[in-house]
Amino acid sequence: MSARVLVVDDVPANVKLLEARLTAEYFEVLTAADGFEALEICDRDAIDIVLLDVMMPGMDGLEVCRRLKSDPGTSHIPIVMVTALDRASDRVAGLEAGADDFLTKPVKDLQLLSRVRSLVRLKSLTDELRLRAATTRSIGIQEMLGRRLPEIEELPHVLLIDENPASAERTATMLNKVCEMDTASGANEGVFLAMDRTPDCVLISTRASEFDPLRLCSQLQSFDRTRYVPIILIADEGEEARVMRAFELGVNDYVTRPIDRQELTARIRTQVRRKLYNDHLRMSVAETIEMAVIDGLTGLHNRRYLDSHIETLFQRAVTRRRPLSIMITDLDRFKGINDTHGHDGGDQVLKEFARRIRANVRGIDLVCRFGGEEFVVIMPDTESALAQRVAERVRHDIEKEPFQVAGNAVPVTVSIGVASVDYGADSVSALMRRADAALYQAKNSGRNRVVAPAA
Ligand code: GH3
Ligand code: MG
C-alpha cells in the first residue's frame, strides 16, 4: 500500500535518512524543515501520515501536533512523534498533544515501516468511510468528521491470548489500570471469548506451541464480529520476518519483549481510539443509508424504497404463483385541511394517518409514503377480496375517529384504489396503473370509499 508521507525535522541528515528508507519502500515522501512549513503542506497536500520531530526551533513538534489535531481539516491525519531515546517525557507529552504513535531515534527499519504501514492502513479505512459519509452529506456526519478522534471514556476491553500463564499474568498486571482484561491460553478459547464479547483490542503473544498465532490473527479477521477489532502482536526480538508477515495479514501493531508498559499502553490506546472513530463513522454511514429510504415525517419507507422493492415482490409473486395486492390511498380534500389548520396541522394529520395505516396492516406488508398525501401499501400473499377488506378497514379507521390537530378534532376521510396481480401479461406498471385508475374512480364517485377493478 503506497502513501504520501511528510517527514518533518530541522536536521537535514535526519530528513534524508527517513526519506531514503521510505522511498525505497515506494512511499511518496514530502519533507519540511520546520513546523510552519509542515502545517502549510498538511493544509495543501493530501498527506497520509506525518513523521514529526519533537525538538525543532521556532515551533516545536508538540505544538505542530496540537495544531494539526485541533484543525478539523487535518485532525484525522495520523502523527508519529520521533523522539530521542533518553527523553521518555517527550512521549507522554506527544500523546497528550494528540499524537497517534511515536518512534525513538535511532529509528529501526522494522519499526519505521510497520508503524507507517499500520497507521496508513487505518487511515485508508477512515478515509473511505469519510468519503462515503461526505457524499451522503448528512448533517450529523459532517459534524462528526470535524471532531477529533474520540477520547476513550470507559476502560477499553482487551483480550490477551497467551499460552504462558506467568507472562499472561505479568501483562495483565501491567495493564491493570489501562483496560479491562480477559485472558485466554489458547486459540479456541480466545476465539470463543472474542465472539462472546467483542473486545476493543486483542493482544496475541507469538510464544505459542499449541497454535499458530498468525493463523489465529487471520481467523479473527474472518469473522464478522471480530473483523474490525485491532490486533497487537507481542513478539520477541529477532522475529522481524514473522512480524512483517503478520502485517501483511492485517495485524495492526506489535511490541517486542521485554514489554515497555508505557509503549504498550500507548499502542492499545491508539488502536482503540481509531476503532471507536471508525465504528462511529460506520454507524453514521449505515444510518444515513437508512435515512435515504425512510420518509422523515412519517417514518415509513419512501418512494425510492418502493421503487427498488416492488419489482422484486412482484416477480416473487408471479414465479411462485402467489397472490399480491396493492392499495393506493389518497386523503380527501387534504388541501382544505392545510388551508384551515396550516401546513403543520396538515403534517400532524399525515403522521397520524401513517400510524393508523400501519396499525391496520400486517408486519410483512410494505407501507410507503408515495409522495404528498398519497400512500402505497404492498400486500404479499393477499388476494383481491382480502385486500379490499383490509382497505375497507383502513378507510373505516380513518373516518370513525376525528384527528387531533392542536386541540381541534378534524374529521378526515380517505379514498383507496386496490389492484391485484393478474398472472396473464402483467407488470408492475400495469398493476400500479390499475390501482391508480381505481383510486380515480373512488374520488369521482364521491370519495371516502374503496374501489377495486372488477376481476
Ligand atoms: P382530493 O380529495 O381530490 O385528493 O383533494 P386534495 O385536496 O387532497 O388533493 P390535492 O392534490 O389538490 O392537494 C393535495 C395537497 O396536499 C396539496 C399539498 O399542499 C398538500 N401536501 C402535499 N404534501 C404535503 C406535506 O408533506 N405536508 C402537508 N401539510 N401538506 C402536503
Ligand atoms: Mg388528496
Side-chain angles (χ1 to χ4, degrees), residues 177-240:
K177 291 215 169 54
V178 177
C179 60
E180 199 189 311
M181 177 89 88
D182 268 337
T183 53
S185 59
N188 290 342
E189 189 191 357
V191 170
F192 180 81
L193 288 176
M195 299 300 256
D196 188 44
R197 178 181 168 205
T198 312
D200 297 307
C201 183
V202 178
L203 307 179
I204 299 178
S205 165
T206 57
R207 284 189 192 167
S209 54
E210 302 287 321
F211 65 94
D212 177 351
L214 295 198
R215 189 172 303 288
L216 174 59
C217 293
S218 58
Q219 221 179 337
L220 285 172
Q221 287 177 334
S222 67
F223 298 120
D224 274 351
R225 290 194 69 140
T226 49
R227 57 193 274 221
Y228 295 117
V229 177
I231 300 176
I232 301 177
L233 217 56
I234 302 175
D236 281 299
E237 283 298 344
E239 281 197 299
E240 280 73 13

Side-chain angles (χ1 to χ4, degrees), residues 149-381:
L149 288 189
E151 283 307 325
I152 301 168
E153 277 166 13
E154 289 165 13
L155 277 190
H157 171 216
V158 173
L159 172 61
L160 168 66
I161 303 170
D162 188 341
E163 214 172 77
N164 180 328
S167 94
E169 175 67 31
R170 268 198 308 280
T171 313
T173 309
M174 179 185 280
L175 295 175
N176 124 55
K177 291 215 169 54
V178 177
C179 60
E180 199 189 311
M181 177 89 88
D182 268 337
T183 53
S185 59
N188 290 342
E189 189 191 357
V191 170
F192 180 81
L193 288 176
M195 299 300 256
D196 188 44
R197 178 181 168 205
T198 312
D200 297 307
C201 183
V202 178
L203 307 179
I204 299 178
S205 165
T206 57
R207 284 189 192 167
S209 54
E210 302 287 321
F211 65 94
D212 177 351
L214 295 198
R215 189 172 303 288
L216 174 59
C217 293
S218 58
Q219 221 179 337
L220 285 172
Q221 287 177 334
S222 67
F223 298 120
D224 274 351
R225 290 194 69 140
T226 49
R227 57 193 274 221
Y228 295 117
V229 177
I231 300 176
I232 301 177
L233 217 56
I234 302 175
D236 281 299
E237 283 298 344
E239 281 197 299
E240 280 73 13
R242 193 181 215 175
V243 170
M244 272 304 173
R245 182 85 190 91
F247 274 103
E248 283 162 20
L249 288 173
V251 164
N252 304 76
D253 206 348
Y254 82 103
V255 293
T256 38
R257 295 197 176 80
I259 301 173
D260 175 73
R261 177 178 186 277
Q262 193 187 38
E263 177 180 352
L264 183 55
T265 303
R267 305 219 174 280
I268 291 175
R269 192 165 159 271
T270 298
Q271 294 296 335
V272 172
R273 285 172 76 202
R274 284 268 161 193
K275 174 176 179 289
L276 286 179
Y277 186 76
N278 286 341
D279 284 352
H280 276 294
L281 269 179
R282 203 175 295 115
M283 259 162 17
S284 311
V285 170
E287 268 170 26
T288 315
I289 289 169
E290 185 175 309
M291 266 158 48
V293 295
I294 299 288
D295 170 52
L297 180 68
T298 60
L300 297 176
H301 283 100
N302 62 15
R303 181 170 189 164
R304 187 182 298 152
Y305 186 82
L306 177 77
D307 286 345
S308 67
H309 274 65
I310 191 167
E311 189 66 43
T312 314
L313 294 173
F314 178 85
Q315 287 306 337
R316 193 182 296 168
V318 170
T319 50
R320 295 183 189 172
R321 291 255 149 193
R322 302 290 306 164
L324 174 93
S325 297
I326 68 170
M327 62 169 142
I328 303 185
T329 74
D330 188 298
L331 292 175
D332 295 330
R333 310 266 187 233
F334 186 60
K335 213 138 92 64
I337 294 175
N338 267 339
D339 291 346
T340 313
H341 302 280
H343 200 80
D344 287 350
D347 282 359
Q348 288 308 310
V349 169
L350 290 174
K351 268 192 185 162
E352 173 62 13
F353 178 71
R355 198 193 63 74
R356 290 193 196 185
I357 295 199
R358 262 261 71 106
N360 279 287
V361 300
R362 301 166 305 175
I364 64 155
D365 296 329
L366 177 61
V367 186
C368 301
R369 184 172 178 206
F370 198 58
E373 21 87 76
E374 251 190 314
F375 295 75
V376 171
V377 183
I378 303 182
M379 295 170 281
D381 280 325

